[in-house]
């Protein structure tokens, strides 16, 4: 019998009630059932964005759609922007800003490390013309969690907007849009929100809305003024991904039941268990503890064919891990532990890894200790 545990950094496995909701019949997206439900869903998402104030808009499309919406609505051709690149998703911001005609300043930081806020403040002092800074909260390609609050503070008296890709962090680790002064935050349905892919969200501060109202780039599907206007009557300008909305209504119930604080704690525990298990196998982790992501762990085994082992773990043992991307392809594998994941899921995943590395019991024992035994004296 084949059973596959999906342990990649999104899309994530979906809870049963979410899957059932996803299969509901279609309704009229211009009818009063949907137009009453849409504002409610958006309000329920607000605590996850850490905002009471800002405008939150739904898009049909994956996370990259929301990223593109951010770029075309904030950047006019010729505007100067600063892009922080330390992995594939930072690089995606860079490619997009380039395509849409921005004048680009880039800080390339090593893949596997975090962006340095001091460099950002130096850049802004040297280039006061910079209008927007594009950053990645959780760089899923490396499994680094950037300190967005510190990066936002590094602007000091600069007026630059800060635009945050929170696709693989929001709902798994704190995002405090209001408190940290973030201007644009984007996320997607298929990661910590535990819904299917195909729905993304963009949240804009009032400063960002002012910029957006004056931007001169060409856009149609992602013209956010249309979304804002239609939201007044509870609608989206184009046919929304209704199935994903139905699913999200259910997954938000689970999120609300567990509570954000507990969810954040659970993600930290999953990360610590994964890291303890890998360390017990004497396999290097790509990322230092201080930057380690609560939603993804990157493992960098030496002297082996990493992809061969990863595929053996999938085909023979039934756990699907993600490979490396870009310059890390063939060098790392990644364990996704966001959303609908429990400590026992991590034990299963580590069991498969320790079997593949021929070290039975070692990773699981270390992870169990992290989970249930705080010291030698007994179960917590
Ligand atoms: C940090 C980050 N940003 C953006 C994306 C792109 O999202 P999507 O694949 O939904 O377009 C991903 C997807 O893995 C991601 O992890």
């Amino acid at each position: 019998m084949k059973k596959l545990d999906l342990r990649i950094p999104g899309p994530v496995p979906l809870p049963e009630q979410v899957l059932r909701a996803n299969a509901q019949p279609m309704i009229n997206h211009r009818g009063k059932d949907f137009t009453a439900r849409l504002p409610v869903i958006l309000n329920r998402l607000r605590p996850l964005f850490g905002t009471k104030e800002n405008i939150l808009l739904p898009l049909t499309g994956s996370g990259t759609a929301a990223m593109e919406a951010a770029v075309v609505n904030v950047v006019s051709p010729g505007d100067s922007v600063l892009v922080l690149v330390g992995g594939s998703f930072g690089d995606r911001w860079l490619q997009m800003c380039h395509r849409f005609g921005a004048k680009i300043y880039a800080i390339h930081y090593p893949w596997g490390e975090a962006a340095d806020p001091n460099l950002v403040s130096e850049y802004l002092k040297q280039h006061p013309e910079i209008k927007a800074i594009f950053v990645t909260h959780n760089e899923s390609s490396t499994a680094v969690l950037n300190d967005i609050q510190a990066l936002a503070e590094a602007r000091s008296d600069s007026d630059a907007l800060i635009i945050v890709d929170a696709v693989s962090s929001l709902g798994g680790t704190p995002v405090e849009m209001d408190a940290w002064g973030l201007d644009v935050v984007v996320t997607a349905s298929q990661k910590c929100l535990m819904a299917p892919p195909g729905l993304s969200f963009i949240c804009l501060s009032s400063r960002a809305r002012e910029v957006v109202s004056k931007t001169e780039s060409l856009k149609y599907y992602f013209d956010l003024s249309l979304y804002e206007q239609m939201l007044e009557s509870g609608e989206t300008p184009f046919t929304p991904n209704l199935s994903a909305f139905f699913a999200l209504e259910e997954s938000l119930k689970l999120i609300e039941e567990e509570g954000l604080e507990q969810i954040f704690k659970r993600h930290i525990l999953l990360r610590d268990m994964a890291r303890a298990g890998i360390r017990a196998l004497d396999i290097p982790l790509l990322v230092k503890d201080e930057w380690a992501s609560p939603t993804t762990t990157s493992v960098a085994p030496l002297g082996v064919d990493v992809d061969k082992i990863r595929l053996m773990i999938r085909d023979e043992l039934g756990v699907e891990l993600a490979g490396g991307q870009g310059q890390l392809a063939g060098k790392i594998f990644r364990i996704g532990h966001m959303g609908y994941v429990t400590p026992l899921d991590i034990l299963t995943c580590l069991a498969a890894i320790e079997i593949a590395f021929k070290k039975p019991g070692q990773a699981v024992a270390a992870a169990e200790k992290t989970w249930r035994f705080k010291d030698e004296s007994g179960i917590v």
Side-chain angles (χ1 to χ4, degrees):
M1 192 194 67
K2 284 260 175 199
K3 182 170 177 251
L4 196 63
D5 266 15
L6 193 60
R7 279 288 84 76
I8 62 172
V12 302
L14 302 183
E16 258 178 61
Q17 52 273 61
V18 174
L19 283 170
R20 275 196 299 273
N22 191 55
Q24 281 173 53
M26 289 298 108
I27 56 175
N28 177 6
H29 64 297
R30 307 273 174 228
K32 65 177 187 327
D33 184 6
F34 185 71
T35 60
R37 281 155 78 175
L38 177 60
V40 176
I41 298 177
L42 294 178
N43 273 332
R44 291 168 74 195
L45 282 170
R46 285 184 183 284
L48 285 78
F49 279 82
T51 187
K52 289 197 172 93
E53 312 280 341
N54 299 309
I55 177 107
L56 180 55
L57 302 168
L59 303 170
T60 290
S62 70
T64 307
M67 291 173 76
E68 182 159 333
V71 173
V72 288
N73 282 278
V74 166
V75 178
S76 299
D79 281 351
S80 295
V81 301
L82 176 63
V83 188
L84 309 191
V85 186
S88 316
F89 295 103
D91 189 57
R92 190 165 298 181
W93 278 136
L94 189 78
Q95 302 302 328
M96 282 185 177
C97 288
H98 178 69
R99 291 271 176 104
F100 290 103
K103 177 165 183 222
I104 295 172
Y105 295 99
I107 296 176
H108 288 270
Y109 56 99
W111 290 37
E113 295 186 13
D116 179 355
N118 294 324
L119 285 182
V120 172
S121 60
E122 273 169 38
Y123 243 91
L124 292 173
K125 274 184 210 137
Q126 278 165 27
H127 301 285
E129 72 278 18
I130 288 173
K131 215 182 126 183
I133 312 167
F134 288 85
V135 299
T136 314
H137 190 193
N138 186 69
E139 177 50 81
S140 330
S141 65
T142 59
V144 165
L145 186 76
N146 277 309
D147 184 344
I148 294 297
Q149 183 176 13
L151 291 169
E153 279 167 9
R155 288 175 298 175
S156 52
D157 48 10
S158 154
D159 283 336
L161 299 180
I162 185 155
I163 294 154
V164 182
D165 167 354
V167 170
S168 61
S169 57
L170 191 138
T173 191
V175 174
E176 292 292 346
M177 194 165 168
D178 296 350
W180 299 347
L182 311 181
D183 294 293
V184 180
V185 175
V186 301
T187 199
S189 50
Q190 79 277 19
K191 310 252 183 194
C192 306
L193 297 182
M194 302 186 295
L199 199 55
S200 52
F201 296 92
I202 182 162
C203 194
L204 303 174
S205 70
S206 48
R207 258 169 29 99
R209 279 163 82 192
E210 237 180 271
V211 170
V212 165
S213 68
K214 296 182 198 133
T215 303
E216 283 165 8
S217 58
L218 291 175
K219 53 203 169 277
Y220 184 78
Y221 195 76
F222 294 134
D223 182 347
L224 293 180
S225 65
L226 295 177
Y227 287 81
E228 196 174 339
Q229 219 178 306
M230 295 295 284
L231 198 57
E232 283 168 22
S233 54
E235 291 178 59
T236 52
F238 316 109
T239 313
N241 185 339
L242 290 168
S243 304
F245 269 112
F246 301 152
L248 185 62
E249 285 179 319
E250 276 311 306
S251 63
L252 283 173
K253 274 189 205 158
L254 296 172
I255 289 172
E256 286 156 2
E257 260 166 44
E258 187 178 358
L260 283 180
E261 277 204 12
Q262 178 51 35
I263 291 175
F264 299 154
K265 272 194 203 153
R266 174 168 52 84
H267 281 82
I268 295 285
L269 172 64
L270 300 174
R271 174 197 70 189
D272 291 349
M273 286 175 67
R275 290 174 71 82
I278 297 299
R279 279 206 174 102
L281 299 178
D282 257 338
I283 303 174
L285 292 157
L286 181 73
V287 178
K288 281 192 199 163
D289 285 347
E290 58 181 308
W291 302 317
S293 159
T295 63
T296 312
T297 294
S298 284
V299 184
L302 299 170
V304 291
D305 183 334
V306 177
D307 284 330
K308 197 166 156 201
I309 291 196
R310 182 172 61 81
L311 295 178
M312 175 266 171
I313 291 173
R314 182 190 69 189
D315 297 338
E316 289 182 32
L317 304 170
V319 175
E320 176 134 24
L321 303 166
Q325 297 180 329
Q327 56 177 262
L328 292 174
K331 296 192 178 135
I332 61 166
F333 65 81
R334 293 171 299 148
I335 307 169
H337 39 79
M338 61 184 79
Y340 190 47
V341 183
T342 66
L344 272 179
D345 292 326
I346 297 298
L347 295 183
T348 306
C349 173
L350 289 171
I353 294 170
E354 68 190 14
I355 290 170
F357 283 89
K358 301 190 175 57
K359 296 189 174 173
Q362 297 184 20
V364 167
E368 280 181 8
K369 278 189 187 149
T370 303
W371 178 23
R372 301 297 295 186
F373 302 86
K374 282 223 165 64
D375 53 42
E376 297 306 313
S377 61
I379 296 180
V380 174

